[in-house]
Amino acid sequence: GIISLVSLAVLSYERYCTMSRTAEPDTTSYRKTWTGIILSWTYSLLWTAPPLFGWSSYGPEGPGITCSVNWHAKDANNTSYIICLFIFCLVIPFAIIVYSYGKLLCAVRQVSSIRRGRGREQRALVMVMVMVLCFLLCWLPYAAVALTATLGQPGLIPPAASIVPAILAKSSAIYNPIIYVFLNKQVR
């Protein structure tokens, strides 16, 4: 899940950088691509490894069909990790996505105002809004359940109630490419 979130943030920033460049992109060099992949995986590893070394722990999630961070432990060690995870693996990637797509939208508006075209700007706006909305729909229910289980009363979230948010969060990696393909005329 974390690699998915971080990858979406890296992709949104890369999309902004690519779309706002005036020169033709260099398609023969994969240096930036590999840097983004390595950065995503390294950042994700840094945030998924601490439970293996004693900062929180992993265990069954929901009804016991998946494994995740132990959301139900109420000690300071576990709570601090989950709060850091929430900030550094949800809030910060989401802020990068909003920043990148916001800047991309501003760049598209500037180009559209010069060319007097509104169609491209509206398509870009729709694509940005759908991507951000899907990100929120996939990850906010999971984050809400996890934070409620961590900070709320014990037993407040029954195991069966955590199944749908977990599935939404784990399936979020497939939505961004689908949205991009269907809403981008260049792909066709």
Side-chain angles (χ1 to χ4, degrees), residues 10 29-42:
V10 169
S29 172
Y30 293 104
R31 185 171 163 236
K32 285 182 74 176
T33 304
W34 280 110
T35 302
I37 291 169
I38 291 168
L39 176 72
S40 298
W41 281 90
T42 303

Side-chain angles (χ1 to χ4, degrees), residues 14-90:
E14 178 57 27
R15 186 172 298 141
Y16 160 67
C17 290
T18 301
M19 296 290 283
S20 62
R21 265 191 223 116
T22 54
E24 283 292 314
D26 181 14
T27 57
T28 61
S29 172
Y30 293 104
R31 185 171 163 236
K32 285 182 74 176
T33 304
W34 280 110
T35 302
I37 291 169
I38 291 168
L39 176 72
S40 298
W41 281 90
T42 303
Y43 188 83
S44 299
L45 181 64
L46 288 173
W47 283 107
T48 55
L52 301 174
F53 301 105
W55 190 20
S56 188
S57 62
Y58 287 113
E61 180 179 42
I65 56 174
T66 60
C67 180
S68 185
V69 176
N70 186 357
W71 304 111
H72 299 287
K74 298 291 183 188
D75 58 356
N77 181 24
N78 191 61
T79 303
S80 65
Y81 175 71
I82 291 172
I83 290 171
C84 285
L85 203 61
F86 180 77
I87 292 168
F88 290 99
C89 297
L90 179 69

Side-chain angles (χ1 to χ4, degrees), residues 4-183:
S4 169
L5 288 169
V6 174
S7 293
L8 288 175
V10 169
L11 285 170
S12 67
Y13 183 73
E14 178 57 27
R15 186 172 298 141
Y16 160 67
C17 290
T18 301
M19 296 290 283
S20 62
R21 265 191 223 116
T22 54
E24 283 292 314
D26 181 14
T27 57
T28 61
S29 172
Y30 293 104
R31 185 171 163 236
K32 285 182 74 176
T33 304
W34 280 110
T35 302
I37 291 169
I38 291 168
L39 176 72
S40 298
W41 281 90
T42 303
Y43 188 83
S44 299
L45 181 64
L46 288 173
W47 283 107
T48 55
L52 301 174
F53 301 105
W55 190 20
S56 188
S57 62
Y58 287 113
E61 180 179 42
I65 56 174
T66 60
C67 180
S68 185
V69 176
N70 186 357
W71 304 111
H72 299 287
K74 298 291 183 188
D75 58 356
N77 181 24
N78 191 61
T79 303
S80 65
Y81 175 71
I82 291 172
I83 290 171
C84 285
L85 203 61
F86 180 77
I87 292 168
F88 290 99
C89 297
L90 179 69
V91 173
I92 290 176
F94 181 66
I96 291 169
I97 289 169
V98 168
Y99 172 81
S100 298
Y101 285 146
K103 288 294 216 176
L104 178 61
L105 207 55
C106 289
V108 169
R109 279 189 179 155
Q110 287 176 346
V111 170
S112 294
S113 67
I114 292 170
R115 295 183 184 167
R116 304 262 188 236
R118 285 278 189 221
R120 183 176 178 193
E121 177 184 341
Q122 289 174 343
R123 282 192 307 276
L125 175 62
V126 168
M127 185 173 66
V128 167
M129 297 306 289
V130 169
M131 286 181 173
V132 171
L133 185 64
C134 282
F135 182 93
L136 290 173
L137 288 174
C138 288
W139 285 102
L140 280 184
Y142 188 75
V145 167
L147 286 176
T148 302
T150 301
L151 304 174
Q153 297 295 326
L156 188 61
I157 304 289
S162 65
I163 293 172
V164 172
I167 290 171
L168 276 173
K170 292 173 192 322
S171 66
S172 68
I174 63 169
Y175 300 129
N176 205 20
I178 291 170
I179 293 166
Y180 190 72
V181 166
F182 283 111
L183 294 179

